[in-house]
Amino acid sequence: MPGQQLEQLLIRIRDGEAHDGALEQARTLLRADARFPEELRRALDDDDEHEVADSAAALLAVLGADEGFGASLADAIFDEAGLFTGSPGAHADDVANDVIAATHPNERATSVAHAVHAMAGDIDVTHEVLAELEQHMATFPIDAAVRWHAGSVEVATDVLARLGLADELAPVAAAVTQQSGPVDIVTSVLSTLALEDVQIPLAAAIAAEAGEVDLVSAVMRATDASWVSAMLDNELDAQARRLATQQLRGNREALAQMTAFADIGRQLRSGVESEAGDVAYIWPAIAEQIGIANPESVPGWDGEQVAAAVRSQAGSVDVTTAVMGRVLSAQITTSDDVEAIPVPANNPWAPALALAAAAMFAVFVGAPAIFGGGASVPTIGDTPELAFAQSDEIIINDLSYAENASVQVIQAQGENGALIIWVDEETTL
Amino acid sequence: MKSFLRALFSILFALGLMASAPALAKAPPGGRPPPGAPATVSSKVTVDVLVLHATNGNTTISQQIPPSVIKQLSMLNFTGYSLLQNHTATLGLKQSTNFTVGAHRFELQLLSKTVQDAKIRVQIFRSPGNNKVLDTTVTVHRNKSFIVGGPPHNGGNLILPITARYPAPAASGS
């Protein structure tokens, strides 16, 4: 703007900083500037530099751009110039505004806006303000406010949908469920809200609502008598067994079933006993079970041990008597039931026969006794078979022989080889 | 007739008594208890001894010899066996029996006895001089046998299978 440019040139001229072109330019702008009276428009025409600087200062003062009494000087000038018309008050205000508007255009606009607003009254800027706020309301708790004031789910949904807050639906649903009350409403609400994946302790809710449920009876009725068998075989855990016991108290059918199972067990055991058979056949299995490596060789054999092992396998089978009877049969025992030699009665030949027998005894026994020989009659014929002692049935306690003799202790070949003590005589003592 | 027979038996009986008096006086050890004695647990053992003659001079094997014996002697490589004697004696504790075969005398003594086995001492003496050739003590299981052999006899050797028999319980007298 020319006015501002003139001011700037005047300031330079006043401060002695203007170049030649600046003075001439200032002179040109001044001559055309209507803000100055005609007489002042040639103030810069002087050639003297100092005079020009002083004139520039004065012009600035007229413009009010200096630190001096610009407004007062302006008043004074205008008073002298006789430019004012109208009432002194109104005329002063209009001039003031004009001057202010001319000299301070920006301030003039702000002031005008303020003045206008102050005069215009209330202006509805809520919509605009809210629109602006929506752009920056990342955490604006509209949903919380909606929930607080919603009153009903439908309103909450509609409001949230209109606000584009569908992602915030889950908290709303949680709030709904918290307020909903009965369990069945929870389900329908959740399905409406498509929140099937929401983890809600439904089972606990059912249990809380359902109360004590007699599941044991229902389950057991549904699974027939298998639970009875399991109970008999001690296959139920503690809790199940306790419940089963309670059920048994009034369940005659189950009790009968248990009795039948127990009878089966007894029948099985008696069947095993009857089939156990000879002790000899089960001895190898028993021996192995009781830790005897070789059933055929039992050091320190104890019949009671065998009987106890057999009983443990076969139940109440009395083998002791039978087995021990076999063991003891070979022992030498006293016998009180020896047959009495029958005495012939009323036989007239009895005395004669007795004498004859005595005579024969005397002949065959007495004669050898007189003439020497063995204490027994050598019998040739009817020699019985011999059973030779095995290695574990014979012990040589002592052995000595002549100096010139030699002795070999030999075991004959074969499965049941006999012990042979063979002496080879060379010379005798 | 009857009176004659009775008289004959009486004479024979008298002769028999006279002849057997020493034998009866020296009753066989371990003999049957006198009649009337109560039945007791037997503490005696009957020792059976077969006296065999083994030779390589023939191939005859006596039929009287139990096959089980011949089988046991097969390793001795004799070709012929004959049975010379079968000596049997019932011995009480510490009692002995003896017999002679040719130049050798055999003595067997029962040293001890248990339910399961018997301890028997076997001694062999040779004549002349009655020199002891062998002295051995053997504990053998009841009713089982062992063999002592080797003494030379008639071009061969004597073999003695010895058995310790446990007798049946003694019967009570009538």
Side-chain angles (χ1 to χ4, degrees):
Chain A
M1 292 175 70
Q4 293 180 351
Q5 186 177 6
L6 175 60
E7 288 179 9
Q8 293 175 358
L9 292 173
L10 291 174
I11 292 172
R12 292 180 187 173
I13 295 170
R14 182 195 66 184
D15 296 332
E17 298 175 354
H19 52 76
D20 292 345
L23 178 60
E24 192 64 37
Q25 183 179 4
R27 289 171 180 171
T28 302
L29 291 175
L30 179 61
R31 291 184 187 121
D33 195 339
R35 291 180 297 174
F36 296 97
E38 192 66 36
E39 295 81 5
L40 294 180
R41 297 182 185 175
R42 297 256 179 211
L44 297 178
D45 291 342
D46 195 328
D47 295 330
D48 186 29
E49 182 178 356
H50 292 289
E51 292 294 332
V52 172
D54 294 337
S55 299
L59 291 173
L60 288 171
V62 173
L63 292 176
D66 61 345
E67 297 85 3
F69 306 101
S72 302
L73 181 59
D75 291 341
I77 293 173
F78 286 120
D79 286 341
E80 294 296 326
L83 295 178
F84 297 102
T85 60
S87 63
H91 181 71
D93 290 338
D94 293 334
V95 173
N97 288 333
D98 290 339
V99 172
I100 293 173
T103 59
H104 302 86
N106 293 332
E107 294 178 3
R108 175 185 177 189
T110 302
S111 300
V112 171
H114 287 173
V116 170
H117 292 161
M119 295 304 291
D122 292 334
I123 298 176
D124 184 11
V125 299
T126 305
H127 178 72
E128 289 78 1
V129 171
L130 288 180
E132 185 176 354
L133 289 175
E134 283 180 359
Q135 297 176 0
H136 304 284
M137 66 164 194
T139 59
F140 190 74
I142 290 182
D143 56 342
V146 169
R147 282 200 293 273
W148 181 264
H149 296 288
S152 66
V153 175
E154 294 75 15
V155 173
T157 303
D158 293 340
V159 170
L160 291 177
R162 290 180 61 185
L163 291 177
L165 297 174
D167 293 340
E168 299 295 328
L169 211 57
V172 175
V176 170
T177 57
Q178 185 177 5
Q179 297 296 326
S180 62
V183 175
D184 55 343
I185 295 179
V186 173
T187 304
S188 61
V189 169
L190 289 179
S191 62
T192 301
L193 295 173
L195 291 174
E196 292 84 1
D197 294 336
V198 175
Q199 297 297 326
I200 294 178
L202 190 60
I206 292 176
E209 291 298 322
E212 287 294 327
V213 179
D214 187 9
L215 294 176
V216 174
S217 298
V219 171
M220 291 184 173
R221 281 194 291 271
T223 57
D224 59 48
S226 61
W227 70 271
V228 177
S229 176
M231 182 178 178
L232 192 62
D233 294 336
N234 199 26
E235 294 177 352
L236 300 179
D237 60 21
Q239 182 179 3
R241 188 174 184 82
R242 177 177 58 82
L243 295 173
T245 302
Q246 294 174 356
Q247 292 300 316
L248 275 176
R249 289 174 184 163
N251 192 332
R252 292 188 177 183
E253 181 180 349
L255 289 172
Q257 187 70 55
M258 287 194 69
T259 303
F261 286 153
D263 288 339
I264 292 174
R266 285 194 288 272
Q267 293 171 9
L268 283 176
R269 285 192 289 273
S270 65
V272 171
E273 292 176 13
S274 64
E275 293 296 327
D278 191 349
V279 175
Y281 292 107
I282 65 175
W283 165 242
I286 294 174
E288 180 180 358
Q289 186 174 2
I290 62 176
I292 298 176
N294 181 11
E296 300 302 324
S297 176
V298 185
W301 181 85
D302 183 3
E304 285 302 320
Q305 183 182 9
V306 174
V310 170
R311 289 195 189 95
S312 67
Q313 289 290 323
S316 299
V317 179
D318 186 11
V319 298
T320 303
T321 302
V323 172
M324 298 309 295
R326 285 173 176 260
V327 172
L328 298 175
S329 64
Q331 287 184 347
I332 297 176
T333 59
T334 58
S335 175
D336 296 328
D337 56 345
V338 178
E339 285 187 2
I341 297 176
V343 176
N346 298 326
N347 187 345
W349 285 94
L353 291 174
L355 290 174
M360 291 175 67
F361 175 78
V363 170
F364 290 101
V365 175
I370 293 174
F371 298 103
S376 65
V377 177
T379 58
I380 299 177
D382 295 338
T383 51
E385 285 286 350
L386 302 182
F388 290 90
Q390 303 306 301
S391 58
D392 58 342
E393 296 177 318
I394 188 168
I395 299 173
I396 299 178
N397 304 108
D398 189 15
L399 177 65
S400 62
Y401 45 91
E403 279 189 5
N404 295 330
S406 62
V407 174
Q408 297 179 66
V409 179
I410 309 166
Q411 183 171 7
Q413 296 177 351
E415 185 176 346
N416 300 318
L419 179 72
I420 302 175
I421 302 174
W422 188 269
V423 57
D424 188 2
E425 299 179 16
E426 295 178 5
T427 59
T428 59
L429 296 177
Chain B
M1 185 60 177
K2 290 183 180 179
S3 60
F4 170 76
L5 290 174
R6 289 178 184 172
L8 176 62
F9 283 137
S10 299
I11 294 171
L12 291 174
F13 176 70
L15 290 173
L17 284 176
M18 293 171 61
S20 64
L24 291 177
K26 189 176 73 176
R32 300 178 62 178
T40 59
V41 177
S42 175
S43 60
K44 301 180 186 300
V45 175
T46 298
V47 178
D48 288 337
V49 183
L50 295 179
V51 181
L52 306 181
H53 179 239
T55 181
N56 287 324
N58 61 67
T59 58
T60 302
I61 297 177
S62 173
Q63 298 291 330
Q64 299 166 337
I65 302 174
S68 60
V69 177
I70 300 300
K71 182 179 179 181
Q72 298 294 337
L73 302 177
S74 60
M75 65 180 297
L76 300 178
N77 296 322
F78 291 103
T79 59
Y81 294 92
S82 60
L83 179 61
L84 301 181
Q85 290 185 25
N86 185 354
H87 184 81
T88 301
T90 300
L91 304 178
L93 291 177
K94 308 303 180 184
Q95 292 182 335
S96 63
T97 183
N98 64 85
F99 56 92
T100 301
V101 180
H104 294 88
R105 184 170 66 85
F106 300 88
E107 180 173 321
L108 287 80
Q109 181 184 17
L110 179 64
L111 297 181
S112 65
K113 172 200 174 235
T114 67
V115 173
Q116 298 294 333
D117 46 45
K119 182 181 289 185
I120 299 173
R121 184 181 183 185
V122 180
Q123 299 180 84
I124 301 177
F125 301 89
R126 182 170 181 174
S127 298
N130 202 28
N131 300 313
K132 182 182 293 186
V133 175
L134 175 70
D135 187 350
T136 183
T137 300
V138 175
T139 299
V140 63
H141 194 76
R142 55 187 294 165
N143 299 323
K144 294 299 178 69
S145 306
F146 64 98
I147 297 173
V148 175
H153 180 77
N154 293 342
N157 297 87
L158 297 177
I159 297 176
L160 281 69
I162 302 171
T163 304
R165 293 195 187 280
Y166 279 45
S172 59
S174 59

